[in-house]
Amino acid sequence: MKRAIAVVSSLFVAAGVSIAAPPAMAEDMTTLTLKVTGCDGCTISAWTPTLSSDGGPTVTAKVKDGVATMQIPTAQTTGTSFQIDPVKDPLMNAVTLIVFQYKGVQPGARITKSQAMTYRRGSACWAGTTEATAQIRVKVRKVWGPAFDPQTKNPPKRSLQPLAWVVPTQQSAAPYWPLFKGALQTQGNPACRF
């Protein structure tokens, strides 16, 4: 029987007829809804473990009426982190990541701004999901930080910069980065370890 299949396949090739490969299975996707308070018009970018071809975030969404929606490959949700860019330039030489868990705080805790500002380390690494839909609540507030604006002749010394965290806190993973007044600011691509 194997010989007969091989002969038939050879005949198709000799006749110039190609045998199509079975279609690739579609990748499972998760529709993520981010409910954001305090930053309407902001842009949220997802940094999945597999970066885009240019090395940047893979998906972006704008917050409208307190909601941003994006689709992420389900297998890539574990280890995804999220950058939040406010409407007005915060004049900082870094980007802000959304904190999923503060070091020493159990998942499920409801952290206030004043509490968030006391923590010295936090993780932006989402533990992810296996579900087709997920929802994350994000609070965004502002903290005063040193301004950085190389294009202005007399730059301001301070500027209001975003502080963003999930409520309630969620299970996260290393690394726990140093924070500035509770805000996770970085100049590099976030790399999560699970």
Side-chain angles (χ1 to χ4, degrees):
M1 182 69 174
K2 288 182 183 176
R3 182 174 164 85
I5 292 172
V7 170
V8 171
S9 295
S10 298
L11 291 173
F12 279 127
V13 171
V17 176
S18 62
I19 301 172
M25 295 294 288
E27 190 170 22
D28 288 339
M29 300 295 284
T30 295
T31 300
L32 176 62
T33 303
L34 296 128
K35 294 202 167 183
V36 183
T37 58
C39 205
D40 218 42
C42 288
T43 301
I44 298 179
S45 304
W47 291 83
T48 59
T50 302
L51 299 176
S52 67
S53 59
D54 66 356
T58 51
V59 184
T60 61
K62 191 169 285 269
V63 179
K64 185 176 179 186
D65 297 327
V67 176
T69 304
M70 57 180 65
Q71 284 203 316
I72 301 173
T74 305
Q76 299 262 335
T77 59
T78 299
T80 293
S81 56
F82 300 88
Q83 171 183 325
I84 189 156
D85 295 308
V87 176
K88 185 178 177 188
D89 184 358
L91 301 178
M92 54 190 242
N93 191 25
V95 296
T96 299
L97 299 179
I98 298 171
V99 176
F100 274 77
Q101 188 176 10
Y102 290 100
K103 191 167 185 178
V105 176
Q106 293 298 314
R110 294 190 173 274
I111 303 296
T112 64
K113 177 187 175 185
S114 59
Q115 290 172 319
M117 290 177 67
T118 65
Y119 293 108
R120 297 182 182 266
R121 291 194 165 268
S123 174
C125 301
W126 184 30
T129 184
T130 57
E131 301 297 323
T133 60
Q135 181 176 290
I136 298 172
R137 293 186 178 276
V138 180
K139 278 196 179 181
V140 182
R141 299 294 183 261
K142 295 177 182 174
V143 293
W144 285 102
F148 177 84
D149 188 1
Q151 299 176 354
T152 302
K153 188 173 183 180
N154 294 313
K157 292 190 181 345
R158 298 186 323 151
S159 67
L160 283 170
Q161 301 167 356
L163 159 62
W165 71 103
V166 299
V167 178
T169 57
Q170 293 193 19
Q171 182 65 47
S172 193
Y176 284 88
W177 290 285
L179 304 175
F180 173 77
K181 295 183 179 178
L184 204 167
Q185 300 170 346
T186 183
Q187 292 177 317
N189 293 354
C192 298
R193 298 190 303 268
F194 275 87

